[in-house]
Amino acid sequence: MIRTRTDGDVRVVTLDRPEARNALRPADLTDLRTAFEEPEAGRDPPVTFLRGAGDAFCAGADLDAVAALDDPGAFARRGQRVAAAIEESPSVVVCGIDGPARGGGVELALAADVRVATPRATLGEPGVSLGLFGAWGGTVRLPRVMREGDALDFALSGRVLDADAALRTGLVSRVVDDPRSVADEIAAGEPDALAAIKRRMRDRRESGTQEAAEATAFADLHDAHADEIARRRGE
């Protein structure tokens, strides 16, 4: 169900179960985690583009699998590890949301570095209607991405946001016809700079430690690109 291919400086990871709107079963979660932790031939392109096949991004967890769970806590932890693998990938992860994203699909998107929607995208956390909630890191990441009040409204109501509403609340950063174009745009940057920006913005340590690391990373990049900086001074 998980397909990967590398196209220049962009690795494309596709959720490929369109007949089920790319709903995720336990084995699919394992394969998706492997796709982010063990890239082909040990190579991590600077940008990874995460997408869904067909007319949906991801319907979340497969409800047949959820109904049959013997250990729901273990299933939640499995999903959390997948989201962590996306978030911690050395590659910048751009998530392209085309069509519906629900539940766990939203949580995968939350773990990405950049979320881009098409005008057809809709996003919702319907778990509350089943007496559940998003437990693949959703309660942790959602209020980091959206304002806390918007995050609570979104999760507690189970309402569905269209692309424009997702943009207004910060759940996505752009609405474009072709999300892959955003991955290509980002991949045009210097790979070491992209990686450094991601590491710094993902750093959850206290601010003084973060700022020291930021200064060190800036100095390292300055040294690495000194010739290019000098060449472009007069532009």
Side-chain angles (χ1 to χ4, degrees):
M1 182 229 175
I2 309 300
R3 291 190 291 108
T4 65
R5 64 183 175 86
T6 299
D7 183 8
D9 287 332
V10 177
R11 181 166 51 120
V12 180
V13 177
T14 301
L15 311 178
D16 191 11
R17 195 185 173 210
E19 71 280 4
R21 297 199 307 169
N22 303 316
L24 296 162
R25 300 158 295 190
D28 302 323
L29 290 172
T30 298
D31 291 344
L32 185 56
R33 180 183 176 190
T34 298
F36 279 91
E37 292 186 340
E38 302 175 16
E40 309 93 308
R43 178 174 180 260
D44 249 323
V47 175
T48 296
F49 181 56
L50 175 62
R51 63 179 295 274
D55 60 3
F57 171 63
C58 177
D62 183 284
L63 287 183
D64 289 339
V66 172
L69 289 175
D70 293 325
D71 188 344
F75 184 67
R77 290 188 291 274
R78 188 190 295 243
Q80 289 168 356
R81 287 191 289 269
V82 174
I86 294 171
E87 186 173 70
E88 296 167 7
S89 170
S91 183
V92 174
V93 181
V94 177
C95 181
I97 304 166
D98 185 22
R102 299 288 186 271
V106 172
E107 292 180 283
L108 296 182
L110 287 170
D113 302 304
V114 178
R115 286 166 296 283
V116 183
T118 72
R120 297 177 53 252
T122 60
L123 299 92
E125 281 279 16
V128 68
S129 67
L130 301 173
L132 297 171
F133 63 91
W136 294 350
T139 59
V140 176
R141 293 185 180 91
L142 194 60
R144 291 178 183 167
V145 169
M146 304 168 78
R147 294 176 302 184
E148 185 175 296
D150 288 335
L152 282 162
D153 182 358
F154 181 57
L156 292 170
S157 68
R159 70 191 181 106
V160 173
L161 302 182
D162 63 18
D164 289 337
L167 181 64
R168 286 195 304 270
T169 59
L171 191 51
V172 301
S173 61
R174 305 193 207 184
V175 177
V176 298
D177 291 328
D178 180 12
R180 168 63 194 269
S181 67
V182 177
D184 291 334
E185 176 188 329
I186 291 172
E190 291 290 341
D192 53 354
L194 297 177
I197 291 168
K198 173 169 179 169
R199 285 195 302 270
R200 299 281 53 79
M201 289 199 176
R202 289 296 198 185
D203 194 339
R204 302 296 180 194
R205 296 174 294 178
E206 57 89 20
S207 60
T209 302
Q210 290 184 44
E211 288 168 358
E214 180 183 68
T216 298
F218 179 81
D220 290 343
L221 288 171
H222 183 276
D223 291 346
H225 297 281
D227 291 344
E228 178 66 7
I229 294 166
R231 186 184 69 79
R232 295 180 62 176
R233 268 188 315 183
E235 291 183 4

